Amino acid sequence: MAQLWKGRFKKELAKETNDFNSSIKFDCRMFEEDIKGSIAHATMLGSTGIIEKSESEKIVSGLSGILDDIKSGKLEIDMSAEDIHTFIEGELTARLGQTGKRLHTARSRNDQVALDIRMVLKKEIDEISEKLKELISVLCTKAEEHKSTIMPGYTHLQRAQPITFAHHVMAYASMLCRDLDRLADVKKRMNVLPLGSGALAGTTYPLDRGMVADILGFDDITANSLDGVSDRDFCIELASALSLIMVHLSRFSEEIIMWCSWEFKFIELDDAFSTGSSIMPQKKNPDIAELVRGKSGRVFGDLTTLLTVMKGIALAYNKDMQEDKEAIFDAVDTVKMCLNAFTPMIDTMTVLKDNMRNAAARGFINATDCADYLVGKGLPFRDAYKATGELVALCIDKGLTLETLPIEEYKAVCDIFDDGVYDAINLEKCVNDRLVVGGPSQSSVDAQIKKARNFIK
């Protein structure tokens, strides 16, 4: 298939150059957006009188036929073409003759590809957002099931204070809600039409860019033609938002991996979302979580690629920018793949409540509540903190817990103590007394679930 720029050159393009220069292997996924953008452009050309209305209508009909044929499998994309734009315009010209050649009037591949990638990524954002909503919904359901499931909360990976499993998973729901918000923000800035920027300096034709924006569902048009063709901020922003999604999935994966181990045994993954060992028959491995954790680095690498490609490019378009699609499409595809596997893994996992409760009981995680009990009796917090620390050391020496330490031992450390301390350090009470907004009490978690469910609506 002939290159669109062939008129200036006397020699045929070397095969090595063509292979290196070609982008159709990865931009072929934009065929629908390229055709829809061309239909809008042709419609505008006919409406403004830049080309004859009859020719505009033939072009629109021809493009619609090409789109139908590709979708049905009747027409295969020629992978030897330089790019998807060349293939579609070549096919249109083959079908319509000279009329097909009028499509590219007042347009450059520079503003054409800038349009196509925005259209594709807007669609991808919508798909990823729906997958995030599904995961958030699963987390809310898990939280509703485990509002009274006590577990240790950790700092420094050391048992710290009692929380519930519901409170823990809603922390991830909060992260994912922020991810949703970021994607919507990226899409808002992405939803600006670059078509009409030409190669870099616009055109002398009387284009109606607003008409094209309306047809394609864009909120606005780009204000500067140089920026219109050379801007890839939206790719970088999206890759950044996707990287944060992977940070959150990776952190959650790390905890899933730990919780599956015999050392924790807080959860068990469904057999359908685990694998075994080729040599150790007892093994049940959390491979999905491990792969999600590993693939996060791949998405971070895509972000780094985009930043590196764009950092040194003089205005306007440069061929370096062809690298944008491989990187951002890989980031998009990786996140979608991870969410597709991660969500059902969480949905089907079994929470081992008793193991969580036992771990909470053995970790002195009610020590802060013991100190707060003394504060309620009038002791300054620092003195209460010191006394409770002495009690913990005493329990460790005697092989006891705060719940099983006799009241005489309490009084020996601080005579303010009475039998009421046992109620104060009860784990369920410790959790449910934390009524502060955002805390682990059942009423607070109910509010968090309601807020998340309302957000994803």
Side-chain angles (χ1 to χ4, degrees), residues 235-269:
C235 290
I236 295 170
E237 272 197 281
L238 178 55
S240 177
L242 296 177
S243 292
L244 275 169
I245 291 171
M246 291 305 296
V247 167
H248 299 150
L249 293 181
S250 183
R251 292 183 74 180
F252 203 171
S253 294
E254 174 70 11
E255 296 200 302
I256 295 294
I257 292 160
M258 289 192 301
W259 291 345
C260 283
S261 69
W262 283 103
E263 285 68 26
F264 279 79
K265 213 56 183 171
F266 284 179
I267 64 166
E268 182 169 351
L269 296 179

PDB file of all heavy atoms in Angstrom, residues 235-269:
ATOM      1  N   CYS A 235      -2.049  11.400  27.932  1.00  0.00           N
ATOM      2  CA  CYS A 235      -1.500  10.038  28.025  1.00  0.00           C
ATOM      3  C   CYS A 235      -0.705   9.877  29.315  1.00  0.00           C
ATOM      4  O   CYS A 235      -0.815   8.857  30.015  1.00  0.00           O
ATOM      5  CB  CYS A 235      -0.596   9.739  26.836  1.00  0.00           C
ATOM      6  SG  CYS A 235      -1.452   9.562  25.254  1.00  0.00           S
ATOM      7  N   ILE A 236       0.090  10.871  29.631  1.00  0.00           N
ATOM      8  CA  ILE A 236       0.914  10.825  30.840  1.00  0.00           C
ATOM      9  C   ILE A 236       0.032  10.848  32.085  1.00  0.00           C
ATOM     10  O   ILE A 236       0.254  10.097  33.044  1.00  0.00           O
ATOM     11  CB  ILE A 236       1.930  11.981  30.845  1.00  0.00           C
ATOM     12  CG1 ILE A 236       2.932  11.806  29.690  1.00  0.00           C
ATOM     13  CG2 ILE A 236       2.652  12.072  32.178  1.00  0.00           C
ATOM     14  CD1 ILE A 236       3.833  13.004  29.459  1.00  0.00           C
ATOM     15  N   GLU A 237      -0.984  11.722  32.065  1.00  0.00           N
ATOM     16  CA  GLU A 237      -1.908  11.778  33.198  1.00  0.00           C
ATOM     17  C   GLU A 237      -2.614  10.450  33.396  1.00  0.00           C
ATOM     18  O   GLU A 237      -2.770   9.976  34.528  1.00  0.00           O
ATOM     19  CB  GLU A 237      -2.959  12.862  32.961  1.00  0.00           C
ATOM     20  CG  GLU A 237      -2.562  14.241  33.435  1.00  0.00           C
ATOM     21  CD  GLU A 237      -3.776  15.148  33.542  1.00  0.00           C
ATOM     22  OE1 GLU A 237      -4.233  15.646  32.500  1.00  0.00           O
ATOM     23  OE2 GLU A 237      -4.275  15.341  34.668  1.00  0.00           O
ATOM     24  N   LEU A 238      -3.069   9.849  32.298  1.00  0.00           N
ATOM     25  CA  LEU A 238      -3.753   8.565  32.416  1.00  0.00           C
ATOM     26  C   LEU A 238      -2.803   7.492  32.924  1.00  0.00           C
ATOM     27  O   LEU A 238      -3.163   6.699  33.801  1.00  0.00           O
ATOM     28  CB  LEU A 238      -4.346   8.159  31.062  1.00  0.00           C
ATOM     29  CG  LEU A 238      -5.054   6.795  31.032  1.00  0.00           C
ATOM     30  CD1 LEU A 238      -6.146   6.713  32.093  1.00  0.00           C
ATOM     31  CD2 LEU A 238      -5.621   6.521  29.639  1.00  0.00           C
ATOM     32  N   ALA A 239      -1.578   7.473  32.401  1.00  0.00           N
ATOM     33  CA  ALA A 239      -0.595   6.485  32.873  1.00  0.00           C
ATOM     34  C   ALA A 239      -0.296   6.682  34.356  1.00  0.00           C
ATOM     35  O   ALA A 239      -0.089   5.707  35.089  1.00  0.00           O
ATOM     36  CB  ALA A 239       0.684   6.583  32.053  1.00  0.00           C
ATOM     37  N   SER A 240      -0.287   7.928  34.797  1.00  0.00           N
ATOM     38  CA  SER A 240      -0.074   8.209  36.220  1.00  0.00           C
ATOM     39  C   SER A 240      -1.238   7.692  37.058  1.00  0.00           C
ATOM     40  O   SER A 240      -1.041   7.059  38.104  1.00  0.00           O
ATOM     41  CB  SER A 240       0.099   9.718  36.425  1.00  0.00           C
ATOM     42  OG  SER A 240       0.236  10.028  37.794  1.00  0.00           O
ATOM     43  N   ALA A 241      -2.465   7.955  36.601  1.00  0.00           N
ATOM     44  CA  ALA A 241      -3.643   7.465  37.317  1.00  0.00           C
ATOM     45  C   ALA A 241      -3.664   5.934  37.345  1.00  0.00           C
ATOM     46  O   ALA A 241      -3.997   5.320  38.369  1.00  0.00           O
ATOM     47  CB  ALA A 241      -4.915   8.003  36.668  1.00  0.00           C
ATOM     48  N   LEU A 242      -3.292   5.318  36.223  1.00  0.00           N
ATOM     49  CA  LEU A 242      -3.239   3.855  36.162  1.00  0.00           C
ATOM     50  C   LEU A 242      -2.150   3.306  37.079  1.00  0.00           C
ATOM     51  O   LEU A 242      -2.320   2.246  37.698  1.00  0.00           O
ATOM     52  CB  LEU A 242      -2.996   3.394  34.724  1.00  0.00           C
ATOM     53  CG  LEU A 242      -4.101   3.728  33.713  1.00  0.00           C
ATOM     54  CD1 LEU A 242      -3.683   3.283  32.312  1.00  0.00           C
ATOM     55  CD2 LEU A 242      -5.423   3.088  34.092  1.00  0.00           C
ATOM     56  N   SER A 243      -1.045   4.027  37.177  1.00  0.00           N
ATOM     57  CA  SER A 243       0.036   3.605  38.076  1.00  0.00           C
ATOM     58  C   SER A 243      -0.430   3.617  39.528  1.00  0.00           C
ATOM     59  O   SER A 243      -0.098   2.709  40.310  1.00  0.00           O
ATOM     60  CB  SER A 243       1.256   4.521  37.899  1.00  0.00           C
ATOM     61  OG  SER A 243       1.843   4.351  36.630  1.00  0.00           O
ATOM     62  N   LEU A 244      -1.210   4.609  39.898  1.00  0.00           N
ATOM     63  CA  LEU A 244      -1.732   4.654  41.265  1.00  0.00           C
ATOM     64  C   LEU A 244      -2.724   3.523  41.523  1.00  0.00           C
ATOM     65  O   LEU A 244      -2.753   2.950  42.618  1.00  0.00           O
ATOM     66  CB  LEU A 244      -2.388   6.009  41.536  1.00  0.00           C
ATOM     67  CG  LEU A 244      -1.420   7.107  41.980  1.00  0.00           C
ATOM     68  CD1 LEU A 244      -2.097   8.470  41.978  1.00  0.00           C
ATOM     69  CD2 LEU A 244      -0.877   6.805  43.378  1.00  0.00           C
ATOM     70  N   ILE A 245      -3.530   3.193  40.518  1.00  0.00           N
ATOM     71  CA  ILE A 245      -4.408   2.029  40.659  1.00  0.00           C
ATOM     72  C   ILE A 245      -3.572   0.791  40.946  1.00  0.00           C
ATOM     73  O   ILE A 245      -3.892  -0.004  41.843  1.00  0.00           O
ATOM     74  CB  ILE A 245      -5.242   1.821  39.383  1.00  0.00           C
ATOM     75  CG1 ILE A 245      -6.275   2.940  39.221  1.00  0.00           C
ATOM     76  CG2 ILE A 245      -5.952   0.451  39.419  1.00  0.00           C
ATOM     77  CD1 ILE A 245      -6.996   2.921  37.878  1.00  0.00           C
ATOM     78  N   MET A 246      -2.462   0.638  40.208  1.00  0.00           N
ATOM     79  CA  MET A 246      -1.608  -0.530  40.404  1.00  0.00           C
ATOM     80  C   MET A 246      -0.891  -0.498  41.747  1.00  0.00           C
ATOM     81  O   MET A 246      -0.640  -1.554  42.347  1.00  0.00           O
ATOM     82  CB  MET A 246      -0.601  -0.649  39.262  1.00  0.00           C
ATOM     83  CG  MET A 246      -1.227  -1.015  37.918  1.00  0.00           C
ATOM     84  SD  MET A 246      -2.211  -2.530  37.952  1.00  0.00           S
ATOM     85  CE  MET A 246      -0.958  -3.757  38.348  1.00  0.00           C
ATOM     86  N   VAL A 247      -0.554   0.695  42.240  1.00  0.00           N
ATOM     87  CA  VAL A 247       0.005   0.810  43.601  1.00  0.00           C
ATOM     88  C   VAL A 247      -0.988   0.234  44.610  1.00  0.00           C
ATOM     89  O   VAL A 247      -0.631  -0.554  45.501  1.00  0.00           O
ATOM     90  CB  VAL A 247       0.339   2.271  43.943  1.00  0.00           C
ATOM     91  CG1 VAL A 247       0.615   2.419  45.443  1.00  0.00           C
ATOM     92  CG2 VAL A 247       1.554   2.755  43.164  1.00  0.00           C
ATOM     93  N   HIS A 248      -2.243   0.616  44.468  1.00  0.00           N
ATOM     94  CA  HIS A 248      -3.262   0.156  45.415  1.00  0.00           C
ATOM     95  C   HIS A 248      -3.522  -1.342  45.286  1.00  0.00           C
ATOM     96  O   HIS A 248      -3.630  -2.050  46.297  1.00  0.00           O
ATOM     97  CB  HIS A 248      -4.553   0.956  45.197  1.00  0.00           C
ATOM     98  CG  HIS A 248      -4.379   2.419  45.427  1.00  0.00           C
ATOM     99  ND1 HIS A 248      -5.105   3.382  44.766  1.00  0.00           N
ATOM    100  CD2 HIS A 248      -3.536   3.095  46.246  1.00  0.00           C
ATOM    101  CE1 HIS A 248      -4.728   4.573  45.168  1.00  0.00           C
ATOM    102  NE2 HIS A 248      -3.771   4.427  46.062  1.00  0.00           N
ATOM    103  N   LEU A 249      -3.601  -1.831  44.064  1.00  0.00           N
ATOM    104  CA  LEU A 249      -3.794  -3.264  43.876  1.00  0.00           C
ATOM    105  C   LEU A 249      -2.590  -4.054  44.372  1.00  0.00           C
ATOM    106  O   LEU A 249      -2.741  -5.157  44.926  1.00  0.00           O
ATOM    107  CB  LEU A 249      -4.041  -3.581  42.397  1.00  0.00           C
ATOM    108  CG  LEU A 249      -5.340  -3.060  41.776  1.00  0.00           C
ATOM    109  CD1 LEU A 249      -5.428  -3.505  40.310  1.00  0.00           C
ATOM    110  CD2 LEU A 249      -6.554  -3.529  42.547  1.00  0.00           C
ATOM    111  N   SER A 250      -1.401  -3.489  44.188  1.00  0.00           N
ATOM    112  CA  SER A 250      -0.185  -4.173  44.624  1.00  0.00           C
ATOM    113  C   SER A 250      -0.103  -4.240  46.153  1.00  0.00           C
ATOM    114  O   SER A 250       0.284  -5.268  46.727  1.00  0.00           O
ATOM    115  CB  SER A 250       1.045  -3.468  44.048  1.00  0.00           C
ATOM    116  OG  SER A 250       2.223  -4.159  44.403  1.00  0.00           O
ATOM    117  N   ARG A 251      -0.475  -3.145  46.824  1.00  0.00           N
ATOM    118  CA  ARG A 251      -0.467  -3.158  48.301  1.00  0.00           C
ATOM    119  C   ARG A 251      -1.465  -4.183  48.824  1.00  0.00           C
ATOM    120  O   ARG A 251      -1.165  -4.931  49.771  1.00  0.00           O
ATOM    121  CB  ARG A 251      -0.819  -1.768  48.838  1.00  0.00           C
ATOM    122  CG  ARG A 251       0.223  -0.706  48.568  1.00  0.00           C
ATOM    123  CD  ARG A 251      -0.175   0.630  49.198  1.00  0.00           C
ATOM    124  NE  ARG A 251       0.001   0.601  50.644  1.00  0.00           N
ATOM    125  CZ  ARG A 251      -0.273   1.641  51.440  1.00  0.00           C
ATOM    126  NH1 ARG A 251      -0.743   2.767  50.923  1.00  0.00           N
ATOM    127  NH2 ARG A 251      -0.080   1.568  52.735  1.00  0.00           N
ATOM    128  N   PHE A 252      -2.640  -4.201  48.213  1.00  0.00           N
ATOM    129  CA  PHE A 252      -3.660  -5.169  48.623  1.00  0.00           C
ATOM    130  C   PHE A 252      -3.155  -6.589  48.346  1.00  0.00           C
ATOM    131  O   PHE A 252      -3.332  -7.494  49.167  1.00  0.00           O
ATOM    132  CB  PHE A 252      -4.950  -4.890  47.857  1.00  0.00           C
ATOM    133  CG  PHE A 252      -6.205  -5.405  48.524  1.00  0.00           C
ATOM    134  CD1 PHE A 252      -7.451  -5.052  48.034  1.00  0.00           C
ATOM    135  CD2 PHE A 252      -6.157  -6.249  49.624  1.00  0.00           C
ATOM    136  CE1 PHE A 252      -8.617  -5.513  48.628  1.00  0.00           C
ATOM    137  CE2 PHE A 252      -7.319  -6.720  50.233  1.00  0.00           C
ATOM    138  CZ  PHE A 252      -8.548  -6.351  49.726  1.00  0.00           C
ATOM    139  N   SER A 253      -2.523  -6.790  47.200  1.00  0.00           N
ATOM    140  CA  SER A 253      -1.972  -8.103  46.859  1.00  0.00           C
ATOM    141  C   SER A 253      -0.957  -8.551  47.888  1.00  0.00           C
ATOM    142  O   SER A 253      -0.932  -9.736  48.281  1.00  0.00           O
ATOM    143  CB  SER A 253      -1.335  -8.062  45.469  1.00  0.00           C
ATOM    144  OG  SER A 253      -2.296  -7.854  44.464  1.00  0.00           O
ATOM    145  N   GLU A 254      -0.105  -7.641  48.325  1.00  0.00           N
ATOM    146  CA  GLU A 254       0.898  -7.979  49.341  1.00  0.00           C
ATOM    147  C   GLU A 254       0.231  -8.509  50.603  1.00  0.00           C
ATOM    148  O   GLU A 254       0.689  -9.483  51.209  1.00  0.00           O
ATOM    149  CB  GLU A 254       1.747  -6.744  49.654  1.00  0.00           C
ATOM    150  CG  GLU A 254       2.739  -6.903  50.790  1.00  0.00           C
ATOM    151  CD  GLU A 254       3.904  -7.822  50.468  1.00  0.00           C
ATOM    152  OE1 GLU A 254       4.069  -8.185  49.295  1.00  0.00           O
ATOM    153  OE2 GLU A 254       4.635  -8.189  51.406  1.00  0.00           O
ATOM    154  N   GLU A 255      -0.867  -7.873  51.002  1.00  0.00           N
ATOM    155  CA  GLU A 255      -1.557  -8.333  52.210  1.00  0.00           C
ATOM    156  C   GLU A 255      -2.247  -9.673  51.970  1.00  0.00           C
ATOM    157  O   GLU A 255      -2.232 -10.546  52.844  1.00  0.00           O
ATOM    158  CB  GLU A 255      -2.554  -7.271  52.670  1.00  0.00           C
ATOM    159  CG  GLU A 255      -1.846  -5.994  53.085  1.00  0.00           C
ATOM    160  CD  GLU A 255      -2.678  -5.100  53.975  1.00  0.00           C
ATOM    161  OE1 GLU A 255      -3.782  -4.703  53.562  1.00  0.00           O
ATOM    162  OE2 GLU A 255      -2.199  -4.797  55.084  1.00  0.00           O
ATOM    163  N   ILE A 256      -2.844  -9.836  50.798  1.00  0.00           N
ATOM    164  CA  ILE A 256      -3.464 -11.119  50.467  1.00  0.00           C
ATOM    165  C   ILE A 256      -2.434 -12.241  50.549  1.00  0.00           C
ATOM    166  O   ILE A 256      -2.689 -13.320  51.095  1.00  0.00           O
ATOM    167  CB  ILE A 256      -4.083 -11.072  49.051  1.00  0.00           C
ATOM    168  CG1 ILE A 256      -5.248 -10.077  48.983  1.00  0.00           C
ATOM    169  CG2 ILE A 256      -4.525 -12.472  48.599  1.00  0.00           C
ATOM    170  CD1 ILE A 256      -6.439 -10.446  49.802  1.00  0.00           C
ATOM    171  N   ILE A 257      -1.266 -11.985  49.999  1.00  0.00           N
ATOM    172  CA  ILE A 257      -0.186 -12.987  49.995  1.00  0.00           C
ATOM    173  C   ILE A 257       0.218 -13.347  51.427  1.00  0.00           C
ATOM    174  O   ILE A 257       0.379 -14.530  51.765  1.00  0.00           O
ATOM    175  CB  ILE A 257       1.022 -12.464  49.187  1.00  0.00           C
ATOM    176  CG1 ILE A 257       0.664 -12.367  47.696  1.00  0.00           C
ATOM    177  CG2 ILE A 257       2.247 -13.363  49.383  1.00  0.00           C
ATOM    178  CD1 ILE A 257       1.570 -11.453  46.897  1.00  0.00           C
ATOM    179  N   MET A 258       0.358 -12.328  52.278  1.00  0.00           N
ATOM    180  CA  MET A 258       0.700 -12.600  53.681  1.00  0.00           C
ATOM    181  C   MET A 258      -0.435 -13.331  54.388  1.00  0.00           C
ATOM    182  O   MET A 258      -0.212 -14.297  55.127  1.00  0.00           O
ATOM    183  CB  MET A 258       1.011 -11.291  54.408  1.00  0.00           C
ATOM    184  CG  MET A 258       2.310 -10.632  54.007  1.00  0.00           C
ATOM    185  SD  MET A 258       2.786  -9.296  55.125  1.00  0.00           S
ATOM    186  CE  MET A 258       1.376  -8.182  54.999  1.00  0.00           C
ATOM    187  N   TRP A 259      -1.642 -12.870  54.188  1.00  0.00           N
ATOM    188  CA  TRP A 259      -2.791 -13.453  54.890  1.00  0.00           C
ATOM    189  C   TRP A 259      -3.030 -14.903  54.504  1.00  0.00           C
ATOM    190  O   TRP A 259      -3.603 -15.672  55.286  1.00  0.00           O
ATOM    191  CB  TRP A 259      -4.054 -12.646  54.599  1.00  0.00           C
ATOM    192  CG  TRP A 259      -4.073 -11.268  55.191  1.00  0.00           C
ATOM    193  CD1 TRP A 259      -3.255 -10.775  56.168  1.00  0.00           C
ATOM    194  CD2 TRP A 259      -4.950 -10.194  54.837  1.00  0.00           C
ATOM    195  NE1 TRP A 259      -3.572  -9.472  56.447  1.00  0.00           N
ATOM    196  CE2 TRP A 259      -4.609  -9.084  55.651  1.00  0.00           C
ATOM    197  CE3 TRP A 259      -5.991 -10.067  53.924  1.00  0.00           C
ATOM    198  CZ2 TRP A 259      -5.279  -7.858  55.568  1.00  0.00           C
ATOM    199  CZ3 TRP A 259      -6.667  -8.862  53.842  1.00  0.00           C
ATOM    200  CH2 TRP A 259      -6.312  -7.767  54.651  1.00  0.00           C
ATOM    201  N   CYS A 260      -2.609 -15.295  53.298  1.00  0.00           N
ATOM    202  CA  CYS A 260      -2.764 -16.691  52.854  1.00  0.00           C
ATOM    203  C   CYS A 260      -1.748 -17.617  53.502  1.00  0.00           C
ATOM    204  O   CYS A 260      -1.939 -18.837  53.521  1.00  0.00           O
ATOM    205  CB  CYS A 260      -2.578 -16.786  51.337  1.00  0.00           C
ATOM    206  SG  CYS A 260      -3.996 -16.241  50.394  1.00  0.00           S
ATOM    207  N   SER A 261      -0.653 -17.065  53.985  1.00  0.00           N
ATOM    208  CA  SER A 261       0.438 -17.898  54.499  1.00  0.00           C
ATOM    209  C   SER A 261       0.017 -18.561  55.806  1.00  0.00           C
ATOM    210  O   SER A 261      -0.867 -18.092  56.528  1.00  0.00           O
ATOM    211  CB  SER A 261       1.689 -17.042  54.731  1.00  0.00           C
ATOM    212  OG  SER A 261       1.484 -16.157  55.819  1.00  0.00           O
ATOM    213  N   TRP A 262       0.672 -19.682  56.122  1.00  0.00           N
ATOM    214  CA  TRP A 262       0.381 -20.374  57.381  1.00  0.00           C
ATOM    215  C   TRP A 262       0.747 -19.509  58.580  1.00  0.00           C
ATOM    216  O   TRP A 262       0.210 -19.690  59.680  1.00  0.00           O
ATOM    217  CB  TRP A 262       1.127 -21.704  57.430  1.00  0.00           C
ATOM    218  CG  TRP A 262       0.490 -22.760  56.588  1.00  0.00           C
ATOM    219  CD1 TRP A 262       0.902 -23.198  55.360  1.00  0.00           C
ATOM    220  CD2 TRP A 262      -0.714 -23.473  56.881  1.00  0.00           C
ATOM    221  NE1 TRP A 262       0.040 -24.156  54.870  1.00  0.00           N
ATOM    222  CE2 TRP A 262      -0.971 -24.347  55.793  1.00  0.00           C
ATOM    223  CE3 TRP A 262      -1.605 -23.466  57.966  1.00  0.00           C
ATOM    224  CZ2 TRP A 262      -2.069 -25.204  55.752  1.00  0.00           C
ATOM    225  CZ3 TRP A 262      -2.703 -24.320  57.925  1.00  0.00           C
ATOM    226  CH2 TRP A 262      -2.927 -25.175  56.837  1.00  0.00           C
ATOM    227  N   GLU A 263       1.689 -18.583  58.381  1.00  0.00           N
ATOM    228  CA  GLU A 263       2.092 -17.708  59.484  1.00  0.00           C
ATOM    229  C   GLU A 263       0.953 -16.769  59.904  1.00  0.00           C
ATOM    230  O   GLU A 263       0.862 -16.373  61.065  1.00  0.00           O
ATOM    231  CB  GLU A 263       3.321 -16.892  59.080  1.00  0.00           C
ATOM    232  CG  GLU A 263       4.633 -17.672  59.061  1.00  0.00           C
ATOM    233  CD  GLU A 263       4.716 -18.720  57.958  1.00  0.00           C
ATOM    234  OE1 GLU A 263       4.030 -18.552  56.915  1.00  0.00           O
ATOM    235  OE2 GLU A 263       5.454 -19.700  58.132  1.00  0.00           O
ATOM    236  N   PHE A 264       0.078 -16.391  58.956  1.00  0.00           N
ATOM    237  CA  PHE A 264      -1.084 -15.554  59.255  1.00  0.00           C
ATOM    238  C   PHE A 264      -2.362 -16.397  59.234  1.00  0.00           C
ATOM    239  O   PHE A 264      -3.108 -16.429  60.193  1.00  0.00           O
ATOM    240  CB  PHE A 264      -1.213 -14.425  58.227  1.00  0.00           C
ATOM    241  CG  PHE A 264      -0.325 -13.247  58.493  1.00  0.00           C
ATOM    242  CD1 PHE A 264       1.024 -13.273  58.170  1.00  0.00           C
ATOM    243  CD2 PHE A 264      -0.843 -12.096  59.057  1.00  0.00           C
ATOM    244  CE1 PHE A 264       1.836 -12.187  58.403  1.00  0.00           C
ATOM    245  CE2 PHE A 264      -0.045 -10.991  59.298  1.00  0.00           C
ATOM    246  CZ  PHE A 264       1.306 -11.045  58.959  1.00  0.00           C
ATOM    247  N   LYS A 265      -2.628 -16.990  58.080  1.00  0.00           N
ATOM    248  CA  LYS A 265      -3.830 -17.807  57.831  1.00  0.00           C
ATOM    249  C   LYS A 265      -5.105 -17.038  58.185  1.00  0.00           C
ATOM    250  O   LYS A 265      -5.995 -17.533  58.875  1.00  0.00           O
ATOM    251  CB  LYS A 265      -3.755 -19.126  58.598  1.00  0.00           C
ATOM    252  CG  LYS A 265      -4.427 -20.292  57.864  1.00  0.00           C
ATOM    253  CD  LYS A 265      -3.853 -20.491  56.481  1.00  0.00           C
ATOM    254  CE  LYS A 265      -4.541 -21.589  55.708  1.00  0.00           C
ATOM    255  NZ  LYS A 265      -4.113 -21.613  54.284  1.00  0.00           N
ATOM    256  N   PHE A 266      -5.186 -15.808  57.709  1.00  0.00           N
ATOM    257  CA  PHE A 266      -6.375 -14.985  57.914  1.00  0.00           C
ATOM    258  C   PHE A 266      -7.441 -15.248  56.851  1.00  0.00           C
ATOM    259  O   PHE A 266      -8.621 -15.024  57.084  1.00  0.00           O
ATOM    260  CB  PHE A 266      -6.007 -13.497  57.876  1.00  0.00           C
ATOM    261  CG  PHE A 266      -5.320 -12.989  59.112  1.00  0.00           C
ATOM    262  CD1 PHE A 266      -4.919 -11.656  59.178  1.00  0.00           C
ATOM    263  CD2 PHE A 266      -5.074 -13.799  60.205  1.00  0.00           C
ATOM    264  CE1 PHE A 266      -4.290 -11.153  60.308  1.00  0.00           C
ATOM    265  CE2 PHE A 266      -4.442 -13.318  61.339  1.00  0.00           C
ATOM    266  CZ  PHE A 266      -4.047 -11.981  61.387  1.00  0.00           C
ATOM    267  N   ILE A 267      -7.012 -15.662  55.666  1.00  0.00           N
ATOM    268  CA  ILE A 267      -7.946 -15.922  54.575  1.00  0.00           C
ATOM    269  C   ILE A 267      -7.518 -17.182  53.831  1.00  0.00           C
ATOM    270  O   ILE A 267      -6.385 -17.654  53.972  1.00  0.00           O
ATOM    271  CB  ILE A 267      -8.014 -14.757  53.559  1.00  0.00           C
ATOM    272  CG1 ILE A 267      -6.671 -14.577  52.854  1.00  0.00           C
ATOM    273  CG2 ILE A 267      -8.489 -13.471  54.215  1.00  0.00           C
ATOM    274  CD1 ILE A 267      -6.733 -13.692  51.626  1.00  0.00           C
ATOM    275  N   GLU A 268      -8.434 -17.703  53.031  1.00  0.00           N
ATOM    276  CA  GLU A 268      -8.084 -18.766  52.096  1.00  0.00           C
ATOM    277  C   GLU A 268      -8.691 -18.418  50.753  1.00  0.00           C
ATOM    278  O   GLU A 268      -9.878 -18.057  50.661  1.00  0.00           O
ATOM    279  CB  GLU A 268      -8.594 -20.124  52.565  1.00  0.00           C
ATOM    280  CG  GLU A 268      -8.181 -21.242  51.623  1.00  0.00           C
ATOM    281  CD  GLU A 268      -8.431 -22.629  52.198  1.00  0.00           C
ATOM    282  OE1 GLU A 268      -8.767 -22.732  53.393  1.00  0.00           O
ATOM    283  OE2 GLU A 268      -8.287 -23.595  51.432  1.00  0.00           O
ATOM    284  N   LEU A 269      -7.884 -18.475  49.718  1.00  0.00           N
ATOM    285  CA  LEU A 269      -8.360 -18.177  48.377  1.00  0.00           C
ATOM    286  C   LEU A 269      -9.082 -19.384  47.797  1.00  0.00           C
ATOM    287  O   LEU A 269      -8.733 -20.532  48.097  1.00  0.00           O
ATOM    288  CB  LEU A 269      -7.197 -17.784  47.459  1.00  0.00           C
ATOM    289  CG  LEU A 269      -6.458 -16.493  47.822  1.00  0.00           C
ATOM    290  CD1 LEU A 269      -5.323 -16.245  46.840  1.00  0.00           C
ATOM    291  CD2 LEU A 269      -7.405 -15.295  47.854  1.00  0.00           C
TER     292      LEU A 269
END
